[in-house]
Amino acid sequence: MIDFSPEFLNVLKSAKRVAVLTGAGISAESGVATFRGKEGLWAKFRPEELASADAFMLNSALVWEWYQYRRDIIDKVQPNPGHFALADMEKHFKSFALITQNVDGLHRRAGSQNILELHGNITRNKCFNCGKPFIDEINLDQKKPPCCNCGGKIRPDVVWFGETLPQSEFEMANEASATADLFFAAGTSAIVYPAAGLPMIAKRHGAYLVEINIEPTPLTDMADSFMQGKSGEILPEIVKWLRK
Ligand code: OAD
């Protein structure tokens, strides 16, 4: 049983508008490696070296292979108690927005409804050249990106470093953050902008800011409550309080 502060519990009980920003840490307990973790096959690459148009132009097979590797993992894993708690939390508030930087689709699989996917979704593909969605099924053994009718290479429909976020999702995320009275940042290193700016927008507009992470981040000093630990353990405990 986690000992939440009375201040947090008061805010939780009275909140009407809640927004949550999630990052790779929320899927860690499902077995999806985070971007900046030190474990794993791909740890020798920085995310910027793989998740960018420059990287794809330089070595499309390498970038494609990394995404195929991630897709293979995502196919095999299941949402964890953190994902399920957020899907449940949504039912308790008048307004609830789940803003995620994750491309793994696990929030949807856990039953969340109002999801804003700021960095796209790894299950979709599009042409690197003309941008047209590519709807053919991708075989996970495919080592190189297929080609579009226009001759361009196919890439995952995710947002890469240097690219702009999907405009309507980002506008809705901004709005949800600016109008939230309670904001959770869970499992994110809070260093990749513009997503990392959303908790600050929320705080500036008066939201109570809660951070859930296994370790401190650049956001921690600004948080009204820093809950150190695993999101898959802390979020279900929060939902228990909502059910009381
Ligand atoms: P990171 O890998 O940068 O950070 C993951 C965070 O989760 C870290 O702060 C960990 O301490 C924390 N963490 C790990 N396990 C956790 C657990 N069980 N419970 C709670 N927290 C845990 O991932 P993001 O912040 O999502 O962008 O990275 C942001 C963006 O950078 C990603 O969307 C991706 C990446 O490059 C693009 O690909 C454009």
Side-chain angles (χ1 to χ4, degrees):
M1 190 79 183
I2 300 172
D3 210 5
F4 296 116
S5 74
E7 186 189 54
F8 166 68
L9 292 175
N10 271 339
V11 176
L12 184 71
K13 288 284 182 191
S14 60
K16 301 264 180 302
R17 304 182 67 87
V18 176
V20 184
L21 173 68
T22 64
I26 195 131
S27 296
E29 289 155 82
S30 293
V32 184
T34 60
F35 289 94
R36 292 171 183 79
K38 291 178 185 60
E39 302 292 313
L41 202 55
W42 294 86
K44 62 179 189 260
F45 294 98
R46 289 187 305 123
E48 296 80 355
E49 287 176 77
L50 294 164
S52 75
D54 283 350
F56 191 75
M57 280 190 283
L58 206 66
N59 192 343
S60 60
L62 177 78
V63 173
W64 182 258
E65 197 188 333
W66 183 53
Y67 281 99
Q68 291 286 73
Y69 164 76
R70 292 186 70 88
R71 282 178 174 143
D72 188 36
I73 290 171
I74 288 160
D75 255 15
K76 290 175 183 148
V77 303
Q78 298 301 326
N80 67 56
H83 296 108
F84 288 117
L86 288 174
D88 196 345
M89 199 186 266
E90 182 163 9
K91 299 174 196 143
H92 292 269
F93 297 101
K94 191 168 156 240
S95 157
F96 186 88
L98 177 51
I99 307 160
T100 188
Q101 299 164 88
N102 297 348
V103 298
D104 57 27
L106 288 175
H107 284 305
R108 199 168 302 281
R109 280 166 59 190
S112 282
Q113 301 286 321
N114 190 20
I115 311 169
L116 300 169
E117 290 181 320
L118 294 186
H119 290 170
N121 191 304
I122 200 171
T123 59
R124 295 192 307 254
N125 291 283
K126 65 180 182 184
C127 176
F128 183 70
N129 184 37
C130 70
K132 208 169 103 187
F134 184 77
I135 51 167
D136 293 8
E137 188 135 347
I138 300 278
N139 184 333
L140 283 175
D141 298 333
Q142 223 163 313
K143 292 278 182 262
K144 286 185 181 160
C147 278
C148 174
N149 296 337
C150 80
K153 287 179 182 162
I154 298 302
R155 56 164 282 181
D157 189 2
V158 298
V159 176
W160 281 339
F161 285 92
E163 295 180 332
T164 48
L165 270 47
Q167 199 188 341
S168 77
E169 266 89 351
F170 190 58
E171 277 170 12
M172 287 191 274
N174 255 312
E175 169 77 13
S177 305
T179 55
D181 32 39
L182 174 58
F183 190 103
F184 291 95
T188 176
S189 56
I191 55 176
V192 177
Y193 282 80
L198 294 170
M200 295 167 205
I201 290 175
K203 173 99 185 166
R204 217 181 310 128
H205 286 82
Y208 186 90
L209 177 59
V210 177
E211 181 180 38
I212 301 172
N213 202 304
I214 53 169
E215 60 187 25
T217 72
L219 202 61
T220 307
D221 282 346
M222 194 184 288
D224 296 292
S225 177
F226 173 54
M227 301 179 183
Q228 187 158 14
K230 293 181 175 177
S231 46
E233 291 171 5
I234 295 172
L235 287 166
E237 290 287 320
I238 293 174
V239 170
K240 272 190 205 160
W241 276 96
L242 287 171
R243 291 217 193 94
K244 280 186 184 172

